[in-house]
Amino acid sequence: MIGELPKTIKVGEKEEPIRTDFRDILNVFAAFNDQDLSVEEKAIVCLRIIYKNIDEMDSSLYMEAYEKAMNFMEMNDSKKDSDYNEPKLMDWEQDEQLIFSAVNKVAGTEVRSFEYMHWWTFLGYYMGIGEGLFADVVNIRQKKLKHKKLEKHEAEFYRKNREMVDLKTRYTKEELKEKEELKRLLGI
């Protein structure tokens, strides 16, 4: 029905109840960013977070359930596989404070204070973000990725706020151990 926010996803022949609060979806994205989880483990975390009754679902439906969960998280936007290979311009965890500040401005209130907010409502606010600090940061990231020259004020902002603008590289536990061992060997 027009204007209704989905609370179920049809998997197989059954409407499966799902978790729709924006915090749940952000937890899925946090799992997707976890370098210590395999692709399969990330998919399992996604299914366990999204579907309330995943343990009752026939495992032969897991792939369909995963694809439909991804569609739900993207507001049914059908993305091509090539879209997923694009360089990231934002990170839900790293940019959390910038994102919430911008979303709160659009919503006119502190959205984290709500006990519940449907993911699509939150995403609607997110898509309404206009000019501001978060948009400036993303714009600079985009220009840098495309090797475009920054305007004078952007270059100045970047010099002063490099930590905020540069997306952090995420390392697995093993990679971090290797880096620490190398530092130890080099006496750094």
Side-chain angles (χ1 to χ4, degrees):
M1 180 148 202
I2 294 176
E4 289 188 20
L5 297 169
K7 301 226 175 177
T8 63
I9 295 176
K10 187 173 183 178
V11 180
E13 297 300 315
K14 186 177 174 191
E15 290 290 330
E16 294 289 345
I18 58 172
R19 292 180 184 85
T20 60
D21 187 65
F22 74 94
R23 294 166 195 90
D24 294 317
I25 309 310
L26 294 178
N27 284 330
V28 171
F29 292 150
F32 287 169
N33 278 338
D34 189 337
Q35 297 297 314
D36 291 321
L37 294 177
S38 68
V39 173
E40 294 81 12
E41 290 168 326
K42 291 175 184 183
I44 291 168
V45 169
C46 174
L47 291 174
R48 292 210 164 274
I49 290 174
I50 299 293
Y51 292 97
K52 293 180 178 181
N53 301 326
I54 190 66
D55 292 329
E56 299 166 19
M57 189 183 295
D58 184 335
S59 61
S60 67
L61 297 173
Y62 285 177
M63 182 56 81
E64 176 187 351
Y66 179 73
E67 290 170 1
K68 289 186 175 180
M70 295 298 291
N71 285 340
F72 167 77
M73 290 188 295
E74 297 162 0
M75 289 182 71
N76 291 322
D77 182 23
S78 57
K79 292 192 176 220
K80 298 174 249 143
D81 285 342
S82 61
D83 291 343
Y84 292 107
N85 296 324
E86 293 290 318
K88 283 175 41 169
L89 293 176
M90 57 81 67
D91 182 287
W92 286 100
E93 289 176 291
Q94 180 180 327
D95 296 330
E96 177 180 4
Q97 295 310 314
L98 295 173
I99 292 168
F100 278 109
S101 175
V103 166
N104 290 342
K105 183 177 176 183
V106 174
T109 188
E110 172 56 68
V111 297
R112 291 171 287 194
S113 68
F114 291 111
E115 191 171 314
Y116 168 83
M117 180 180 288
H118 194 282
W119 169 242
W120 286 12
T121 302
F122 179 85
L123 206 51
Y125 289 136
Y126 175 82
M127 288 189 273
I129 294 172
E131 292 182 11
L133 182 57
F134 179 60
D136 292 344
V137 167
V138 171
N139 183 51
I140 291 170
R141 287 175 183 162
Q142 186 170 37
K143 282 185 171 184
K144 289 186 67 49
L145 277 170
K146 294 184 178 189
H147 306 289
K148 290 185 176 180
K149 183 174 171 53
L150 297 178
E151 299 293 327
K152 186 176 181 178
H153 70 279
E154 293 170 327
E156 177 73 19
F157 180 87
Y158 179 67
R159 275 192 297 281
K160 290 181 179 177
N161 299 286
R162 201 176 188 121
E163 279 288 312
M164 182 190 318
V165 176
D166 290 342
L167 287 172
K168 315 254 182 313
T169 304
R170 297 181 189 273
Y171 297 102
T172 64
K173 289 177 187 169
E174 290 79 24
E175 290 171 329
L176 288 172
K177 284 180 187 176
E178 288 175 13
K179 285 181 73 162
E180 289 303 314
E181 180 62 17
L182 183 59
K183 284 181 181 179
R184 188 188 66 74
L185 291 171
L186 296 174
I188 300 175

